[in-house]
Amino acid sequence: MTESAASTPADAPADALTGIPAEILGDRDLDGARVLMSGGSRGIGHAIAVALAGRGAHIAMLAKTDTPHPKLAGTVHSAVSDVEAAGGRGLAIVGDLREDADVVRAVETTEAEFGGVDIIINNASAIDLSTIEALDMKRYDLMHDINVRGTFHLSKTAMPHLREAAAAGRHAQVLTLSPPLTDAEGRLDPQWFGRHLGYTMAKYGMSMTTLGLSQELSGTGVDVNSLWPATLIDTAAIRAMPGGEEMVRAARTPAVVAHAALALLSGAAGRRSGEFLTDEQVLAAAGVEDLSDYAVEHGRELIPDIFL
């Protein structure tokens, strides 16, 4: 759910860049698939982009990171370099997901450069786990503008292009990195509202977009799903938190989410539209049940992610 600065040497071969298990390569050919992702300069989004590029996908990224962050390495330009090193085609679109004109420009630029849009990945997300009294309203607005409004607007703007792609048999899809709305019994879990209401509302807003899109696009051939990590993921933002260096020892690497995204988008997981899935569920459905290699430190008890 957060972004890391990790990158891979540009001269490494595609399979070394991604380490993709053979089980997750489904029957949908992603070679030349036209992907538009929000964010992706680092962390989970970056890992997903590189994994898809390893199968030949074209990846456009809408991100603000035109220049290096003082604490978090990686820009949209370095991410595109990694995409191309992995075997894909990259396109950097410098812009702000909160700006309507930038979102429209991102879709139009992807259409112009790649000839269409097949897949939208709503990856960009802001996080603040403050309680209600402690949450500054500027941070509240930031989370809702990026997480909810940004996801809604990017998906909305791309809908006509996704319908066209589906009609052409190109397996159009929307994948949003957001949690399940309810627990196994179909109930809202009040603990997440009590812990960090502002962030919970923002992430659930992204998930509600998945629910609404899957219904509105039902019958069009466009699949819409949400994906969420079952455990804490090692990212630079987590490491920067107080105690973060110790926390990530009980985490998995971003590759586990990237490979789950690949399994879902390639059809290897065999899921239907409108689902809220964890990386563990998707990989198990694709035939990958031993996830020990994804652990940052083997043998450590993993920390479950929030909302689960």
Side-chain angles (χ1 to χ4, degrees):
M1 65 184 174
T2 48
E3 296 194 336
S4 162
S7 61
T8 316
D11 57 353
D15 285 343
L17 281 162
T18 55
I20 296 172
E23 296 94 328
I24 69 174
L25 303 179
D27 57 5
R28 296 176 184 169
D29 185 7
L30 294 175
D31 188 18
R34 304 164 300 188
V35 181
L36 172 57
M37 171 186 289
S38 62
S41 299
R42 55 184 77 92
I44 291 173
H46 177 277
I48 292 173
V50 172
L52 295 177
R55 313 329 297 171
H58 298 173
I59 314 289
M61 295 179 180
L62 169 62
K64 289 177 61 181
T65 51
D66 187 38
T67 57
H69 188 280
K71 295 182 179 179
L72 302 173
T75 68
V76 66
H77 305 294
S78 64
V80 164
S81 295
D82 292 341
V83 161
E84 293 179 343
R89 179 179 171 191
L91 176 63
I93 304 173
V94 178
D96 190 336
L97 190 61
R98 296 171 294 176
E99 296 293 334
D100 290 358
D102 287 355
V103 172
V104 172
R105 176 171 56 85
V107 175
E108 291 178 345
T109 301
T110 305
E111 168 79 27
E113 292 293 323
F114 293 165
V117 181
D118 302 323
I119 297 171
I120 291 292
I121 300 178
N122 291 305
N123 162 72
S125 181
I127 180 173
D128 190 315
L129 299 180
S130 298
T131 58
I132 296 171
E133 282 189 286
L135 181 61
D136 183 278
M137 290 310 296
K138 288 185 178 180
R139 292 293 299 174
Y140 177 94
D141 289 342
L142 177 69
M143 288 191 290
H144 285 258
D145 284 348
I146 293 175
N147 301 9
V148 187
R149 194 178 190 278
T151 295
F152 181 93
H153 192 204
L154 182 59
S155 302
K156 162 190 167 67
T157 305
M159 283 175 74
H161 305 280
L162 294 169
R163 287 195 186 94
E164 290 179 9
R170 295 186 64 90
H171 303 295
Q173 301 176 72
V174 178
L175 180 62
T176 297
L177 300 184
S178 65
L181 287 166
T182 59
D183 61 19
E185 284 72 43
R187 300 172 300 191
L188 286 171
D189 190 338
Q191 69 167 311
W192 308 120
F193 295 89
R195 290 187 185 183
H196 34 66
L197 178 60
Y199 182 62
T200 297
M201 293 169 68
K203 292 307 293 190
Y204 279 179
M206 296 175 72
S207 298
M208 290 171 70
T209 303
T210 290
L211 188 61
L213 281 171
S214 67
Q215 291 297 305
E216 189 163 337
L217 291 170
S218 177
T220 66
V222 181
D223 289 338
V224 185
N225 293 291
S226 278
L227 180 65
W228 193 246
T231 68
L232 186 69
I233 300 298
D234 177 12
T235 64
I238 295 294
R239 287 178 178 267
M241 294 171 58
E245 290 290 344
E246 177 63 25
M247 289 173 61
V248 297
R249 294 177 63 192
R252 288 180 176 141
T253 68
V256 68
V257 187
H259 292 173
L262 179 56
L264 194 58
L265 296 172
S266 70
R271 310 302 301 202
R272 64 182 186 274
S273 183
E275 293 193 284
F276 296 92
L277 305 160
T278 67
D279 49 4
E280 290 181 355
Q281 290 173 321
V282 172
L283 290 172
V288 182
E289 296 186 358
D290 181 3
L291 306 183
S292 59
D293 285 345
Y294 294 110
V296 172
E297 185 173 305
H298 283 222
R300 287 288 293 252
E301 184 177 353
L302 297 169
I303 299 174
D305 208 340
I306 59 177
F307 300 119
L308 299 176

